[in-house]
Amino acid sequence: MFRLAHISDVHLGPLPKVSFSELASKRITGYVNWRRNRSKHLFGEALDTITDAIADMQVDHVAITGDMVNLATNTEIDSVHRWLEEHFDPARTSLVPGNHDAYVLGALKKATMLWHPWMLSGETDSPRDKVFPTLVRRGQVALVGISTANPSLPFMATGDFSSAQARKATALLHQAGEEGLFRVILIHHPPVRNAAAWHKRLNGIGRFARMIGASGAELILHGHTHLDTLHHLSGPDGPIPVVGIASASQAIGGTKPAAGFNLFEISGRTGAWQIGHRRFSLAGDGPGVAENPVAVIAVPSQPPAA
């Protein structure tokens, strides 16, 4: 059995001091939003509780689906690097970036340079400026990382799935399928229509659906919405589960669900995969986390690899 934990939207805080020159960009809108909303409901001990709970469960791997920072300042990107070093072994972690990690031009390049070991799960055979899509094999599981992170206009939080990345990801999915692996796609923006507001949508969502319809996958994990969700996309062998999760820094009492993480227990073989889905979130009646009921996830069946 392979045990995979999933967190997202870390938004590591607190927000550092921001200079006037740093605010002279899209960051000014994000800063105002943070002051008015997120500073009230994010951070505190929520993130520490979540990371401690994952560590106690001794999972095989952790998937992190983006938005590590708030305004993508150099200080924040450096802080995330130190946080990753403290809490996550690169060889047992797969990270994809989110829109906040590419908040302004140049931010994602710096983030990729510093977070590169976790994006490639400790492997170093990819150029640091052309990382995605990624393919990481761990036991019977293949993790395919896709980046939808690009700078967007003020008041927008859109993502992009380009035709170039689709071609490369399609090849990786076919390759992992031929090897008989359980394929997990990591992506920040939900690749499901109407799962996010128009100004937070994924550009290229139809392209992603066509890729999945032709290539298939067993599980798709995303963040971005700060919601605990389950959708499905049509694959060649049946519906493919698309699972979201609340922000890992969301305190209890906000307008969005409290911080939590998904835990997937993957077993079986090609054509007969089994997956257990458990979801944990901050306990409302005390310290630690509590397990929440979730819908049963069915894995699409497929013929054994030739």
Side-chain angles (χ1 to χ4, degrees), residues 49-134:
T49 301
I50 295 303
T51 53
D52 288 346
I54 292 174
D56 289 344
M57 291 185 179
Q58 298 181 330
V59 300
D60 296 296
H61 208 80
V62 179
I64 309 177
T65 51
D67 273 5
M68 308 300 294
V69 297
N70 296 285
L71 304 183
T73 63
N74 288 338
T75 301
E76 288 180 286
I77 293 171
D78 290 337
S79 295
V80 166
H81 179 235
R82 292 192 296 270
W83 180 80
L84 288 169
E85 285 188 317
E86 180 180 355
H87 294 286
F88 297 99
D89 177 0
R92 299 175 61 188
T93 308
S94 292
L95 166 66
V96 299
N99 56 289
H100 277 263
D101 306 319
Y103 212 67
V104 294
L105 287 172
L108 183 59
K109 182 177 181 179
K110 177 177 174 60
T112 301
M113 291 293 291
L114 283 180
W115 308 344
H116 189 259
W118 295 270
M119 290 177 170
L120 287 177
S121 299
E123 300 175 12
T124 58
D125 59 351
S126 174
R128 289 177 180 253
D129 59 341
K130 295 180 180 179
V131 173
F132 294 98
T134 58

Side-chain angles (χ1 to χ4, degrees), residues 178-258:
E178 291 173 355
E179 294 174 15
L181 300 175
F182 185 102
R183 297 163 297 173
V184 182
I185 296 177
L186 310 181
I187 186 170
H188 179 67
H189 291 77
V192 178
R193 294 190 186 278
N194 302 318
W198 180 85
H199 67 289
K200 298 182 178 181
R201 70 191 184 280
L202 174 63
N203 296 317
I205 197 167
R207 182 178 296 119
F208 187 93
R210 290 190 294 274
M211 178 186 74
I212 292 301
S215 303
E218 282 63 61
L219 179 63
I220 302 170
L221 305 180
H222 71 86
H224 192 51
T225 62
H226 295 203
L227 297 174
D228 302 321
T229 54
L230 172 62
H231 298 93
H232 291 84
L233 284 176
S234 297
D237 303 300
I240 298 170
V242 182
V243 185
I245 191 65
S247 165
S249 293
Q250 178 68 54
I252 294 174
T255 58
K256 294 292 182 72

